[in-house]
Amino acid sequence: MPTAAGELYVRDYAGNGPAFVMLHGFPDNLGIFDKIVPLVAESGRRVVVFDFLGFGDSDKPGAGYSFDQQAGDVLAVADALHLDRIIPVGHDAGGAVAVNFALSHPERTAEVALLNCFYGNSPSLRFPELILFFATPELSALSQHFLRSPARFEQIVEFQNAVFREILGTEEQIDYDEFLARLIEENFSRQGSGPAFAHMTAQLLSEVAREDQKMAELEALDVPFRLIWGAEDPYLSPAVAEEIAKHLRNATLTVLAGGGHWPQLDRPAEVTRALLSDAESSK
């Protein structure tokens, strides 16, 4: 699907009602929704997933990556598919994009779903070490050095994977190793998402500060939100969800026991039920 900066890789599953448009964070891609897409589509609802520019199988323009650009990618997909109203489903940094889209285009937003994400600063907000390493301006020379060395970068990713997986149950750990860890590794190796990852993480802290300035606008936004959270996330805990919900006029929070940072992978059936039950009014 064309944009001014390059082609987006998009998958569109036919169905009724406002489309669920699923938005990944970094360092992953649309594959993180592979377990819930068929479940939502089987219910008869329309689902759209895509890779942001720079990630997965979308084009890699090499520059211009930003949170505003990603919100523009969402609009480009909605326009190209003639979607009058959508339900952005944002995970991790994709959650910030979902909120930004709703603020800019409330008339195009039926609802917003947020999965283990962030928006603005809060007392409980804690970023993974891998992300914070690349987000800290004073460490940019060192982090870029690691990014240019596949072996060194792999060591950081392995450390981060170990932290995420250690809180999971045995079955979820096996699934993490066989699916998610491979997806992230391939995203950097075969799919070449390193530059986009570096650009996006470098803007993370300033983006969070910018989000703080939008809180009054968010509190006035008359769009339903549903927050669906893995309880065992070692970084973006349910307390982060509760703090985000304080700024929302109409929000529900579902906390899933046993789910980690990627609840859509750890508890796909439960996430799907939460999405569909709370979306009935949007049909």
Side-chain angles (χ1 to χ4, degrees):
M1 184 171 296
T3 72
E7 293 274 340
L8 294 172
Y9 176 69
V10 181
R11 297 177 186 167
D12 182 13
Y13 300 81
N16 300 312
F20 291 96
V21 180
M22 301 190 175
L23 313 176
H24 67 83
F26 43 80
D28 41 47
N29 56 42
L30 61 74
I32 63 170
F33 298 110
D34 280 357
K35 288 190 176 183
I36 64 171
V37 164
L39 299 178
V40 176
E42 285 168 8
S43 77
R45 296 301 300 267
R46 188 171 184 179
V47 185
V48 176
V49 288
F50 71 96
D51 291 323
F52 286 118
L53 285 174
F55 293 90
D57 288 318
S58 286
D59 280 354
K60 314 291 189 301
Y65 305 117
S66 70
F67 284 85
D68 286 341
Q69 162 260 311
Q70 292 193 338
D73 287 353
V74 180
L75 182 61
V77 169
D79 285 347
L81 296 178
H82 307 291
L83 304 174
D84 293 333
R85 298 173 76 224
I86 67 171
I87 302 175
V89 181
H91 174 259
D92 195 83
V97 178
V99 175
N100 288 337
F101 179 86
L103 288 172
S104 298
H105 306 282
E107 77 289 349
R108 302 282 298 268
T109 308
E111 298 183 67
V112 177
L114 303 178
L115 312 177
N116 289 67
C117 68
F118 59 87
Y119 200 81
N121 281 293
S122 69
S124 302
L125 181 61
R126 179 178 171 228
F127 288 114
E129 289 84 356
L130 169 67
I131 302 301
L132 197 58
F133 180 46
F134 282 88
T136 304
E138 294 81 3
L139 299 177
S140 61
L142 182 60
S143 62
Q144 290 299 311
H145 172 72
F146 272 77
L147 189 62
R148 288 191 295 269
S149 170
R152 292 190 181 96
F153 184 69
E154 184 178 352
Q155 290 180 337
I156 304 176
V157 173
E158 287 178 353
F159 164 83
Q160 196 64 77
N161 282 335
V163 177
F164 276 123
R165 72 185 296 281
E166 69 182 358
I167 51 85
L168 300 173
T170 301
E171 288 187 16
E172 289 82 5
Q173 286 186 351
I174 294 172
D175 195 48
Y176 189 103
D177 293 339
E178 294 182 348
F179 178 77
L180 188 60
R182 292 183 182 181
L183 181 151
I184 293 172
E185 191 279 330
E186 184 176 80
N187 203 32
F188 285 107
S189 58
R190 182 183 71 80
Q191 295 173 318
S193 300
F197 169 79
H199 278 87
M200 293 300 296
T201 50
Q203 300 169 55
L204 180 60
L205 300 182
S206 60
E207 169 63 20
V208 171
R210 188 175 72 147
E211 293 161 4
D212 285 338
Q213 303 305 311
K214 298 180 181 180
M215 286 306 174
E217 185 182 358
L218 181 60
E219 289 166 1
L221 183 64
D222 190 17
V223 170
F225 278 74
R226 46 205 145 79
L227 287 65
I228 306 168
W229 233 257
E232 313 306 326
D233 190 331
Y235 299 98
L236 303 180
S237 70
V240 176
E242 293 169 359
E243 288 153 7
I244 293 173
K246 292 176 182 177
H247 299 282
L248 303 174
R249 294 178 60 177
N250 180 0
T252 61
L253 172 59
T254 302
V255 178
L256 304 178
H261 180 65
W262 289 266
Q264 68 271 36
L265 295 176
D266 301 327
R267 296 291 183 267
E270 295 172 60
V271 169
T272 301
R273 279 196 296 272
L275 284 174
L276 295 175
S277 64
D278 288 335
E280 290 300 312
S281 61
S282 297
K283 286 186 177 180

